[in-house]
């Protein structure tokens, strides 16, 4: 491994952004969020991108964002959008350039968190987030497993506790 980024993956609501920012603060490193990179490059929001050009075009932007984040010579903390690991190239790149931690939580916990943070997540739509998250947990399980060097369960833990657990697994 050339640059040991700390990479956080997991479903929507897993806490990748909040925990990632906390880990970056403690490690005194830059924090990079692939959704934010996509929004900065395209000058629009993830919701607008899905609505105007569709998910496939969003995934292409996301792939570039993963590539750019991984290419940073300075070790960073990288939070990936929940679906980034579905792409085998993204998985390989993230594992090659970083230590990948899968933040896991039960679908009802994830649904409570996404309801609370107010971020627009087009895949969840207006109907039952729990049902969608349950389905995604099943269909994406293998991809998260293939991407991860370590797993941290986040149910019932706050940001400080999850960051503690992540940094405990992280051996750069
Ligand atoms: C997605 C997760 C979102 C965002 C997009 C698609 C997914 O990021 O990339 O709405 O496919 O799981 P977060 O996991 O940060 O919410």
């Amino acid at each position: 491994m050339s640059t040991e980024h700390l990479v956080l993956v997991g479903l929507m609501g897993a806490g990748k952004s909040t925990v990632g920012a906390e880990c970056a603060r403690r490690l005194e490193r830059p924090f990079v969020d692939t959704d934010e990179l996509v929004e900065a490059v395209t000058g629009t929001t993830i919701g607008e991108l899905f609505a105007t050009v569709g998910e496939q075009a969003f995934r292409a932007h996301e792939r570039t964002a993963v590539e750019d984040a991984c290419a940073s010579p300075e070790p960073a903390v990288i939070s990936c959008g929940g679906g980034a690991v579905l792409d085998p190239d993204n998985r390989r790149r993230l594992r090659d350039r970083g230590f990948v931690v899968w933040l896991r939580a039960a679908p009802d916990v994830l649904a409570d968190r996404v309801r609370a943070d107010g971020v627009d997540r087009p895949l969840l739509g207006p109907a039952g987030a729990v049902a969608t998250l349950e389905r995604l947990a099943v269909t994406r399980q293998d991809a998260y497993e293939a991407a991860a060097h370590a797993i941290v369960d986040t149910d019932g833990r706050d940001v400080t506790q999850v960051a503690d657990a992540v940094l405990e697994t992280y051996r750069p």
Side-chain angles (χ1 to χ4, degrees), residues 19-42:
V19 171
E22 174 62 13
C23 291
R25 192 186 63 77
R26 293 194 204 174
L27 293 168
E28 300 184 340
R29 288 184 180 193
F31 173 61
V32 183
D33 181 312
T34 61
D35 284 339
E36 281 177 13
L37 271 185
V38 169
E39 292 188 335
V41 165
T42 59

PDB file of all heavy atoms in Angstrom, residues 19-42:
ATOM      1  N   VAL A  19     -18.636  10.438  11.430  1.00  0.00           N
ATOM      2  CA  VAL A  19     -17.513   9.701  12.029  1.00  0.00           C
ATOM      3  C   VAL A  19     -16.224  10.017  11.267  1.00  0.00           C
ATOM      4  O   VAL A  19     -15.160  10.190  11.871  1.00  0.00           O
ATOM      5  CB  VAL A  19     -17.799   8.182  12.036  1.00  0.00           C
ATOM      6  CG1 VAL A  19     -16.564   7.394  12.448  1.00  0.00           C
ATOM      7  CG2 VAL A  19     -18.981   7.871  12.938  1.00  0.00           C
ATOM      8  N   GLY A  20     -16.324  10.133   9.949  1.00  0.00           N
ATOM      9  CA  GLY A  20     -15.151  10.459   9.134  1.00  0.00           C
ATOM     10  C   GLY A  20     -14.576  11.812   9.530  1.00  0.00           C
ATOM     11  O   GLY A  20     -13.359  11.958   9.684  1.00  0.00           O
ATOM     12  N   ALA A  21     -15.448  12.798   9.710  1.00  0.00           N
ATOM     13  CA  ALA A  21     -14.979  14.139  10.099  1.00  0.00           C
ATOM     14  C   ALA A  21     -14.317  14.079  11.476  1.00  0.00           C
ATOM     15  O   ALA A  21     -13.279  14.721  11.704  1.00  0.00           O
ATOM     16  CB  ALA A  21     -16.149  15.122  10.101  1.00  0.00           C
ATOM     17  N   GLU A  22     -14.884  13.305  12.377  1.00  0.00           N
ATOM     18  CA  GLU A  22     -14.305  13.185  13.724  1.00  0.00           C
ATOM     19  C   GLU A  22     -12.932  12.487  13.669  1.00  0.00           C
ATOM     20  O   GLU A  22     -11.975  12.912  14.329  1.00  0.00           O
ATOM     21  CB  GLU A  22     -15.287  12.420  14.632  1.00  0.00           C
ATOM     22  CG  GLU A  22     -14.775  12.075  16.021  1.00  0.00           C
ATOM     23  CD  GLU A  22     -14.443  13.298  16.884  1.00  0.00           C
ATOM     24  OE1 GLU A  22     -14.820  14.419  16.519  1.00  0.00           O
ATOM     25  OE2 GLU A  22     -13.783  13.096  17.928  1.00  0.00           O
ATOM     26  N   CYS A  23     -12.833  11.427  12.874  1.00  0.00           N
ATOM     27  CA  CYS A  23     -11.537  10.729  12.746  1.00  0.00           C
ATOM     28  C   CYS A  23     -10.497  11.657  12.112  1.00  0.00           C
ATOM     29  O   CYS A  23      -9.334  11.675  12.539  1.00  0.00           O
ATOM     30  CB  CYS A  23     -11.694   9.462  11.888  1.00  0.00           C
ATOM     31  SG  CYS A  23     -12.647   8.162  12.683  1.00  0.00           S
ATOM     32  N   ALA A  24     -10.918  12.426  11.112  1.00  0.00           N
ATOM     33  CA  ALA A  24      -9.978  13.341  10.444  1.00  0.00           C
ATOM     34  C   ALA A  24      -9.481  14.395  11.430  1.00  0.00           C
ATOM     35  O   ALA A  24      -8.293  14.743  11.448  1.00  0.00           O
ATOM     36  CB  ALA A  24     -10.666  14.019   9.258  1.00  0.00           C
ATOM     37  N   ARG A  25     -10.393  14.875  12.271  1.00  0.00           N
ATOM     38  CA  ARG A  25     -10.005  15.876  13.276  1.00  0.00           C
ATOM     39  C   ARG A  25      -8.947  15.281  14.213  1.00  0.00           C
ATOM     40  O   ARG A  25      -7.910  15.875  14.473  1.00  0.00           O
ATOM     41  CB  ARG A  25     -11.250  16.293  14.062  1.00  0.00           C
ATOM     42  CG  ARG A  25     -11.070  17.515  14.935  1.00  0.00           C
ATOM     43  CD  ARG A  25     -12.301  17.778  15.785  1.00  0.00           C
ATOM     44  NE  ARG A  25     -12.583  16.698  16.737  1.00  0.00           N
ATOM     45  CZ  ARG A  25     -11.946  16.486  17.876  1.00  0.00           C
ATOM     46  NH1 ARG A  25     -10.946  17.270  18.193  1.00  0.00           N
ATOM     47  NH2 ARG A  25     -12.280  15.485  18.673  1.00  0.00           N
ATOM     48  N   ARG A  26      -9.206  14.053  14.664  1.00  0.00           N
ATOM     49  CA  ARG A  26      -8.264  13.448  15.620  1.00  0.00           C
ATOM     50  C   ARG A  26      -6.923  13.107  14.979  1.00  0.00           C
ATOM     51  O   ARG A  26      -5.878  13.208  15.621  1.00  0.00           O
ATOM     52  CB  ARG A  26      -8.873  12.167  16.200  1.00  0.00           C
ATOM     53  CG  ARG A  26     -10.082  12.435  17.077  1.00  0.00           C
ATOM     54  CD  ARG A  26     -10.373  11.183  17.864  1.00  0.00           C
ATOM     55  NE  ARG A  26     -11.747  11.110  18.283  1.00  0.00           N
ATOM     56  CZ  ARG A  26     -12.275  10.049  18.883  1.00  0.00           C
ATOM     57  NH1 ARG A  26     -11.536   8.975  19.115  1.00  0.00           N
ATOM     58  NH2 ARG A  26     -13.543  10.039  19.239  1.00  0.00           N
ATOM     59  N   LEU A  27      -6.964  12.689  13.711  1.00  0.00           N
ATOM     60  CA  LEU A  27      -5.727  12.308  13.033  1.00  0.00           C
ATOM     61  C   LEU A  27      -5.010  13.518  12.415  1.00  0.00           C
ATOM     62  O   LEU A  27      -3.917  13.367  11.856  1.00  0.00           O
ATOM     63  CB  LEU A  27      -6.029  11.290  11.907  1.00  0.00           C
ATOM     64  CG  LEU A  27      -6.538   9.918  12.338  1.00  0.00           C
ATOM     65  CD1 LEU A  27      -7.070   9.130  11.132  1.00  0.00           C
ATOM     66  CD2 LEU A  27      -5.438   9.125  13.041  1.00  0.00           C
ATOM     67  N   GLU A  28      -5.694  14.686  12.477  1.00  0.00           N
ATOM     68  CA  GLU A  28      -5.184  15.920  11.858  1.00  0.00           C
ATOM     69  C   GLU A  28      -4.908  15.707  10.378  1.00  0.00           C
ATOM     70  O   GLU A  28      -3.811  15.977   9.868  1.00  0.00           O
ATOM     71  CB  GLU A  28      -3.939  16.423  12.596  1.00  0.00           C
ATOM     72  CG  GLU A  28      -4.233  16.725  14.054  1.00  0.00           C
ATOM     73  CD  GLU A  28      -3.056  17.316  14.795  1.00  0.00           C
ATOM     74  OE1 GLU A  28      -1.915  17.163  14.334  1.00  0.00           O
ATOM     75  OE2 GLU A  28      -3.280  17.918  15.862  1.00  0.00           O
ATOM     76  N   ARG A  29      -5.928  15.201   9.715  1.00  0.00           N
ATOM     77  CA  ARG A  29      -5.838  14.936   8.279  1.00  0.00           C
ATOM     78  C   ARG A  29      -6.995  15.611   7.564  1.00  0.00           C
ATOM     79  O   ARG A  29      -8.024  15.863   8.175  1.00  0.00           O
ATOM     80  CB  ARG A  29      -6.023  13.445   8.014  1.00  0.00           C
ATOM     81  CG  ARG A  29      -4.885  12.603   8.420  1.00  0.00           C
ATOM     82  CD  ARG A  29      -5.233  11.217   7.996  1.00  0.00           C
ATOM     83  NE  ARG A  29      -4.171  10.311   8.350  1.00  0.00           N
ATOM     84  CZ  ARG A  29      -4.090   9.079   7.872  1.00  0.00           C
ATOM     85  NH1 ARG A  29      -5.019   8.634   7.054  1.00  0.00           N
ATOM     86  NH2 ARG A  29      -3.112   8.302   8.226  1.00  0.00           N
ATOM     87  N   PRO A  30      -6.867  15.795   6.239  1.00  0.00           N
ATOM     88  CA  PRO A  30      -8.017  16.290   5.494  1.00  0.00           C
ATOM     89  C   PRO A  30      -9.146  15.252   5.461  1.00  0.00           C
ATOM     90  O   PRO A  30      -8.874  14.044   5.478  1.00  0.00           O
ATOM     91  CB  PRO A  30      -7.469  16.523   4.083  1.00  0.00           C
ATOM     92  CG  PRO A  30      -6.084  16.031   4.055  1.00  0.00           C
ATOM     93  CD  PRO A  30      -5.668  15.609   5.418  1.00  0.00           C
ATOM     94  N   PHE A  31     -10.377  15.736   5.423  1.00  0.00           N
ATOM     95  CA  PHE A  31     -11.537  14.865   5.305  1.00  0.00           C
ATOM     96  C   PHE A  31     -12.139  15.059   3.923  1.00  0.00           C
ATOM     97  O   PHE A  31     -12.391  16.177   3.498  1.00  0.00           O
ATOM     98  CB  PHE A  31     -12.572  15.212   6.380  1.00  0.00           C
ATOM     99  CG  PHE A  31     -13.856  14.466   6.215  1.00  0.00           C
ATOM    100  CD1 PHE A  31     -13.873  13.078   6.265  1.00  0.00           C
ATOM    101  CD2 PHE A  31     -15.048  15.135   5.988  1.00  0.00           C
ATOM    102  CE1 PHE A  31     -15.063  12.379   6.098  1.00  0.00           C
ATOM    103  CE2 PHE A  31     -16.240  14.441   5.828  1.00  0.00           C
ATOM    104  CZ  PHE A  31     -16.244  13.070   5.884  1.00  0.00           C
ATOM    105  N   VAL A  32     -12.344  13.954   3.220  1.00  0.00           N
ATOM    106  CA  VAL A  32     -12.906  14.000   1.866  1.00  0.00           C
ATOM    107  C   VAL A  32     -14.166  13.145   1.824  1.00  0.00           C
ATOM    108  O   VAL A  32     -14.141  11.984   2.227  1.00  0.00           O
ATOM    109  CB  VAL A  32     -11.885  13.441   0.829  1.00  0.00           C
ATOM    110  CG1 VAL A  32     -12.446  13.556  -0.572  1.00  0.00           C
ATOM    111  CG2 VAL A  32     -10.556  14.150   0.944  1.00  0.00           C
ATOM    112  N   ASP A  33     -15.255  13.737   1.325  1.00  0.00           N
ATOM    113  CA  ASP A  33     -16.517  13.018   1.214  1.00  0.00           C
ATOM    114  C   ASP A  33     -16.829  12.917  -0.276  1.00  0.00           C
ATOM    115  O   ASP A  33     -16.900  13.945  -0.967  1.00  0.00           O
ATOM    116  CB  ASP A  33     -17.576  13.845   1.965  1.00  0.00           C
ATOM    117  CG  ASP A  33     -18.948  13.212   1.950  1.00  0.00           C
ATOM    118  OD1 ASP A  33     -19.402  12.811   0.868  1.00  0.00           O
ATOM    119  OD2 ASP A  33     -19.564  13.129   3.026  1.00  0.00           O
ATOM    120  N   THR A  34     -16.974  11.701  -0.808  1.00  0.00           N
ATOM    121  CA  THR A  34     -17.115  11.572  -2.268  1.00  0.00           C
ATOM    122  C   THR A  34     -18.391  12.249  -2.778  1.00  0.00           C
ATOM    123  O   THR A  34     -18.399  12.801  -3.875  1.00  0.00           O
ATOM    124  CB  THR A  34     -17.073  10.095  -2.733  1.00  0.00           C
ATOM    125  OG1 THR A  34     -18.158   9.367  -2.142  1.00  0.00           O
ATOM    126  CG2 THR A  34     -15.745   9.440  -2.393  1.00  0.00           C
ATOM    127  N   ASP A  35     -19.466  12.241  -1.975  1.00  0.00           N
ATOM    128  CA  ASP A  35     -20.689  12.941  -2.404  1.00  0.00           C
ATOM    129  C   ASP A  35     -20.419  14.445  -2.551  1.00  0.00           C
ATOM    130  O   ASP A  35     -20.882  15.082  -3.501  1.00  0.00           O
ATOM    131  CB  ASP A  35     -21.825  12.731  -1.394  1.00  0.00           C
ATOM    132  CG  ASP A  35     -22.451  11.354  -1.496  1.00  0.00           C
ATOM    133  OD1 ASP A  35     -22.318  10.703  -2.550  1.00  0.00           O
ATOM    134  OD2 ASP A  35     -23.076  10.919  -0.513  1.00  0.00           O
ATOM    135  N   GLU A  36     -19.659  14.985  -1.588  1.00  0.00           N
ATOM    136  CA  GLU A  36     -19.349  16.422  -1.653  1.00  0.00           C
ATOM    137  C   GLU A  36     -18.463  16.733  -2.856  1.00  0.00           C
ATOM    138  O   GLU A  36     -18.622  17.765  -3.503  1.00  0.00           O
ATOM    139  CB  GLU A  36     -18.646  16.880  -0.372  1.00  0.00           C
ATOM    140  CG  GLU A  36     -19.610  17.082   0.776  1.00  0.00           C
ATOM    141  CD  GLU A  36     -18.913  17.469   2.070  1.00  0.00           C
ATOM    142  OE1 GLU A  36     -17.720  17.824   2.038  1.00  0.00           O
ATOM    143  OE2 GLU A  36     -19.575  17.366   3.123  1.00  0.00           O
ATOM    144  N   LEU A  37     -17.515  15.805  -3.170  1.00  0.00           N
ATOM    145  CA  LEU A  37     -16.664  16.013  -4.349  1.00  0.00           C
ATOM    146  C   LEU A  37     -17.511  16.043  -5.616  1.00  0.00           C
ATOM    147  O   LEU A  37     -17.324  16.896  -6.484  1.00  0.00           O
ATOM    148  CB  LEU A  37     -15.651  14.868  -4.485  1.00  0.00           C
ATOM    149  CG  LEU A  37     -14.309  14.981  -3.781  1.00  0.00           C
ATOM    150  CD1 LEU A  37     -13.427  13.800  -4.164  1.00  0.00           C
ATOM    151  CD2 LEU A  37     -13.624  16.282  -4.149  1.00  0.00           C
ATOM    152  N   VAL A  38     -18.457  15.108  -5.710  1.00  0.00           N
ATOM    153  CA  VAL A  38     -19.330  15.055  -6.895  1.00  0.00           C
ATOM    154  C   VAL A  38     -20.133  16.356  -7.002  1.00  0.00           C
ATOM    155  O   VAL A  38     -20.238  16.949  -8.088  1.00  0.00           O
ATOM    156  CB  VAL A  38     -20.286  13.838  -6.823  1.00  0.00           C
ATOM    157  CG1 VAL A  38     -21.367  13.934  -7.897  1.00  0.00           C
ATOM    158  CG2 VAL A  38     -19.513  12.529  -6.950  1.00  0.00           C
ATOM    159  N   GLU A  39     -20.646  16.816  -5.885  1.00  0.00           N
ATOM    160  CA  GLU A  39     -21.450  18.045  -5.914  1.00  0.00           C
ATOM    161  C   GLU A  39     -20.592  19.253  -6.300  1.00  0.00           C
ATOM    162  O   GLU A  39     -21.043  20.124  -7.047  1.00  0.00           O
ATOM    163  CB  GLU A  39     -22.120  18.277  -4.550  1.00  0.00           C
ATOM    164  CG  GLU A  39     -23.186  17.224  -4.268  1.00  0.00           C
ATOM    165  CD  GLU A  39     -24.033  17.493  -3.029  1.00  0.00           C
ATOM    166  OE1 GLU A  39     -23.560  18.201  -2.122  1.00  0.00           O
ATOM    167  OE2 GLU A  39     -25.157  16.989  -2.988  1.00  0.00           O
ATOM    168  N   ALA A  40     -19.339  19.272  -5.810  1.00  0.00           N
ATOM    169  CA  ALA A  40     -18.459  20.408  -6.130  1.00  0.00           C
ATOM    170  C   ALA A  40     -18.099  20.407  -7.619  1.00  0.00           C
ATOM    171  O   ALA A  40     -18.107  21.450  -8.277  1.00  0.00           O
ATOM    172  CB  ALA A  40     -17.189  20.339  -5.279  1.00  0.00           C
ATOM    173  N   VAL A  41     -17.805  19.228  -8.151  1.00  0.00           N
ATOM    174  CA  VAL A  41     -17.381  19.140  -9.551  1.00  0.00           C
ATOM    175  C   VAL A  41     -18.541  19.442 -10.507  1.00  0.00           C
ATOM    176  O   VAL A  41     -18.376  20.111 -11.528  1.00  0.00           O
ATOM    177  CB  VAL A  41     -16.787  17.737  -9.842  1.00  0.00           C
ATOM    178  CG1 VAL A  41     -16.676  17.465 -11.333  1.00  0.00           C
ATOM    179  CG2 VAL A  41     -15.432  17.600  -9.175  1.00  0.00           C
ATOM    180  N   THR A  42     -19.728  18.940 -10.171  1.00  0.00           N
ATOM    181  CA  THR A  42     -20.867  19.110 -11.087  1.00  0.00           C
ATOM    182  C   THR A  42     -21.626  20.412 -10.819  1.00  0.00           C
ATOM    183  O   THR A  42     -22.457  20.820 -11.633  1.00  0.00           O
ATOM    184  CB  THR A  42     -21.864  17.939 -10.957  1.00  0.00           C
ATOM    185  OG1 THR A  42     -22.340  17.887  -9.605  1.00  0.00           O
ATOM    186  CG2 THR A  42     -21.203  16.615 -11.315  1.00  0.00           C
TER     187      THR A  42
END
